[in-house]
Amino acid sequence: MKISILTLFPSMFDGFLSESIIKRAIEKKLVKFEIIDIRDFSKLNNNQVDDTPYGGGAGMVMMVEPVVDAINSVKTETSKVYLMTPAGIPFKESIAQDLSKEKHIILVCGHYEGIDERILNYVDGEVSIGDYVLTGGELPAMVISDAVTRLIDGVIKKESYEEESFNDNLLDYPTYTKPYEYDGHKVPDVLLSGHHKNIAEWRKSEQIKKTQERRPDLMK
Ligand code: 6GU
């Protein structure tokens, strides 16, 4: 799968692409990232890509033409184009699963006061990562790329996410590692019992308890 990210701030993605699981997925050619600088598509003096809003108001608005030109420079028949905006549909795991089956997704990052509304004629959807306002779509594009990449076959062990979907609508069970006792806090004894059925039952009941306490909204 290929993920193209269109942004005015390409270097924000350097760290994201060069560490840990994402780095390994790229090295193993399970995913290909392409970071496109929208500014390269400006046709104006000093590579201008934004202007003041019609009707007045605060801030600058990204112009539609360089963004559409940037989209068209990477788009093929199979591409799906998504705009990062707080006005989009709320991103969740089921959307990550759908996107992980695509051949090519293009994530468009707005900045400043957003992009000229006419951009909506050139995208397949709009996505938000939550009810708060960020300075731009770059972090959302990383969040979505991360959530999608880990679901691509071979990126992480299948058990890691099979268990998640098997347990869907429940938070994870608590996990522990060595030492057995830290600052007086011990690991629950059932985990040392070697009794697999008891461990599985304990984990499930911890999941239900935690979800009921913290996120009853997640439970069906
Ligand atoms: Cl996708 N963009 C911005 N600017 N802010 C957000 C967001 C997106 N999702 C939540 N807040």
Side-chain angles (χ1 to χ4, degrees):
M1 134 162 245
K2 181 172 161 188
I3 302 177
S4 300
I5 297 171
L6 279 45
T7 173
L8 288 176
F9 302 95
S11 64
M12 284 181 72
F13 294 86
D14 292 350
F16 172 64
L17 296 176
S18 64
E19 300 286 351
S20 187
I21 294 171
I22 302 298
K23 175 189 181 180
R24 247 186 301 137
I26 296 167
E27 285 170 354
K28 293 206 291 190
K29 298 202 159 52
L30 299 171
V31 63
K32 184 177 160 66
F33 278 90
E34 173 179 57
I35 311 296
I36 301 291
D37 190 344
I38 295 167
R39 201 171 291 280
D40 292 343
F41 294 85
S42 170
K43 288 171 182 155
L44 301 177
N45 302 333
N46 5 62
N47 295 329
Q48 187 185 343
V49 288
D50 57 0
D51 212 326
T52 53
Y54 276 114
M60 298 291 272
V61 177
M62 287 170 65
M63 294 182 290
V64 69
E65 185 178 7
V67 181
V68 172
D69 288 349
I71 291 170
N72 288 335
S73 76
V74 294
K75 196 177 147 111
T76 68
E77 315 82 69
T78 54
S79 309
K80 291 277 172 63
V81 186
Y82 298 98
L83 179 64
M84 307 296 101
T85 162
I89 56 163
F91 184 67
K92 50 191 166 84
E93 192 64 21
S94 58
I95 300 177
Q97 282 164 356
D98 292 344
L99 293 183
S100 72
K101 289 163 197 142
E102 297 288 346
K103 265 206 169 74
H104 182 207
I105 60 175
I106 301 172
L107 305 179
V108 181
C109 306
H111 222 90
Y112 313 121
E113 294 300 313
I115 306 177
D116 184 313
E117 190 78 359
R118 290 169 287 186
I119 191 62
L120 297 187
N121 297 298
Y122 304 89
V123 303
D124 297 301
E126 300 167 77
V127 186
S128 161
I129 63 161
D131 293 338
Y132 38 80
V133 181
L134 301 167
T135 56
E138 284 75 16
L139 288 167
M142 286 184 230
V143 166
I144 291 166
S145 303
D146 189 284
V148 169
T149 299
R150 69 185 284 284
L151 295 177
I152 297 170
D153 246 9
V155 172
I156 56 172
K157 289 201 197 79
K158 243 201 169 82
E159 302 95 88
S160 314
Y161 52 87
E162 264 173 359
E163 200 167 350
E164 279 159 24
S165 50
F166 176 69
N167 289 329
D168 66 350
N169 305 309
L170 291 179
L171 299 174
D172 259 350
Y173 53 75
T175 57
Y176 300 85
T177 187
K178 291 176 187 69
Y180 168 69
E181 183 170 344
Y182 176 72
D183 197 24
H185 306 290
K186 291 179 182 158
V187 174
D189 282 324
V190 62
L191 298 177
L192 288 85
S193 67
H195 195 302
H196 298 299
K197 186 160 169 283
N198 286 358
I199 293 172
E201 282 171 8
W202 179 84
R203 285 176 168 166
K204 180 62 106 188
S205 76
E206 289 295 309
Q207 283 190 283
I208 293 168
K209 194 170 78 186
K210 197 178 248 188
T211 310
Q212 268 165 349
E213 273 168 20
R214 302 188 184 183
R215 295 295 307 274
D217 57 299
L218 291 180
M219 298 190 77
K220 275 189 176 148

